[in-house]
Amino acid sequence: SCLLFPDFEILAKYKARVGLTNLTDEDFLQSDFIKTRTQKLITQTNQSLNHWEQIQKFHLTTTPISIKTGELTPSMKLRRNFVEEEFKEVIEGFYLDWWNLLMR
């Protein structure tokens, strides 16, 4: 499972290239178009990975991360503990189906 943090400057250019500038960033990231495109890229990436390394589920974040909001250090490293807490519900959702199957 993984959280994907888009670069919103590149996202704006991509929206223009595919003719979807009428959508907000959030709507675009939640659209079937971008979900399908992202899944295709993940499937291609997974082909070169071992099974235990492969991405099974993903979430595209809809808000930018930054030093100011606390997700990044001044040297641009991800603050994992902060991100884990901020996206706790999303991360737990990745494993909810598996947990429900286990508890049956």
Side-chain angles (χ1 to χ4, degrees):
S1 303
C2 73
L3 296 170
L4 300 173
F5 300 96
D7 180 321
F8 284 83
E9 289 179 25
I10 293 173
L11 184 70
K13 292 176 186 176
Y14 187 64
K15 280 174 31 177
R17 193 173 88 193
V18 297
L20 294 172
T21 54
N22 60 317
L23 297 177
T24 64
D25 289 344
E26 186 172 350
D27 289 342
F28 182 67
L29 290 169
Q30 294 176 350
S31 70
D32 288 338
F33 171 81
I34 201 71
K35 287 179 185 178
T36 301
R37 182 71 182 126
T38 303
Q39 183 59 61
K40 183 178 179 182
L41 293 169
I42 287 173
T43 299
Q44 290 172 346
T45 301
N46 281 346
Q47 290 175 355
S48 62
L49 299 174
N50 291 312
H51 178 70
W52 61 88
E53 297 172 304
Q54 293 179 354
I55 299 167
Q56 302 300 320
K57 296 181 180 184
F58 66 92
H59 174 78
L60 284 159
T61 63
T62 56
T63 54
I65 60 172
S66 70
I67 296 168
K68 191 181 234 181
T69 55
E71 298 92 356
L72 298 173
T73 67
S75 61
M76 301 302 286
K77 294 178 183 169
L78 192 66
R79 291 186 180 191
R80 292 178 186 259
N81 291 340
F82 187 90
V83 170
E84 285 175 11
E85 186 60 35
E86 186 175 2
F87 292 96
K88 183 177 183 176
E89 289 181 23
V90 173
I91 294 168
E92 288 175 353
F94 287 150
Y95 303 101
L96 191 58
D97 293 338
W98 174 82
W99 181 252
N100 287 338
L101 287 173
L102 186 65
M103 297 309 288
R104 286 185 184 180

